[in-house]
Amino acid sequence: MADERNFELQIITPDRVFWSGEAFMLELNTSEGEVGIYRRHIPMTMIVEPGIARIHQDGKVLEAAVHAGFLEILPDKITVMAEIAEWPDEIDANRAHEAEVRAQRRLQAHDPKIDTSRAEIALKKAIVRLKLVERK
């Protein structure tokens, strides 16, 4: 590693290695809340929740939508195994807005046939995508 403050980071989805390289810090949402992780963090695993991941690298910050998965933290390496990871330019804002509206309608319907937890997750994913596109 070129910089002693950096760690190796990989973000992997079922269909690709989304990002791989050195980073100074990683911020993302977990079931425990939003976390920021530096090199030499104590080893642990965490559950990743839908949110915007921020990869701090060489004085810049890369942002991506990361939707659910697991995070393995080792002192010099972090691996994120995500269901979905997307860069802002990969997100279709119109489709995300439609997904948000659909999820809100399902939740407001109070229909016992609707899986509310699934609708809540769909709403979270849509909101994350829209936030990321708006920040771009």
Side-chain angles (χ1 to χ4, degrees):
M1 275 187 231
D3 188 333
E4 285 296 315
R5 300 173 303 161
N6 291 342
F7 56 86
E8 182 183 343
L9 172 63
Q10 278 197 320
I11 301 174
I12 303 166
T13 67
D15 61 338
R16 65 181 170 162
V17 174
F18 177 74
W19 195 85
S20 182
E22 289 188 11
F24 173 71
M25 182 172 81
L26 173 66
E27 295 178 272
L28 73 167
N29 287 350
T30 70
S31 58
E32 302 296 318
E34 190 167 341
V35 298
I37 307 158
Y38 293 95
R39 183 179 179 165
R40 295 190 180 99
H41 193 285
I42 61 169
M44 64 172 41
T45 57
M46 300 175 117
I47 297 171
V48 175
E49 296 280 330
I52 297 173
R54 291 173 198 82
I55 303 165
H56 297 257
Q57 177 196 49
D58 298 328
K60 63 184 176 187
V61 180
L62 306 173
E63 293 185 320
V66 176
H67 306 288
F70 296 93
L71 168 67
E72 177 189 47
I73 304 169
L74 299 174
D76 294 332
K77 182 178 181 181
I78 295 175
T79 305
V80 179
M81 293 158 282
E83 176 186 306
I84 300 168
E86 304 165 299
W87 296 114
D89 60 354
E90 296 175 324
I91 296 171
D92 181 336
N94 291 329
R95 186 173 173 208
H97 179 69
E98 291 169 4
E100 178 187 32
V101 170
R102 255 192 330 272
Q104 287 175 338
R105 284 186 187 145
R106 287 182 181 138
L107 291 170
Q108 291 170 354
H110 301 292
D111 184 343
K113 296 176 190 170
I114 292 175
D115 184 344
T116 55
S117 61
R118 187 173 162 191
E120 288 170 350
I121 290 169
L123 180 60
K124 284 181 187 178
K125 288 179 179 181
I127 290 170
V128 166
R129 286 179 171 124
L130 290 170
K131 278 185 186 176
L132 185 59
V133 169
E134 288 172 7
R135 293 166 77 141
K136 180 179 149 186

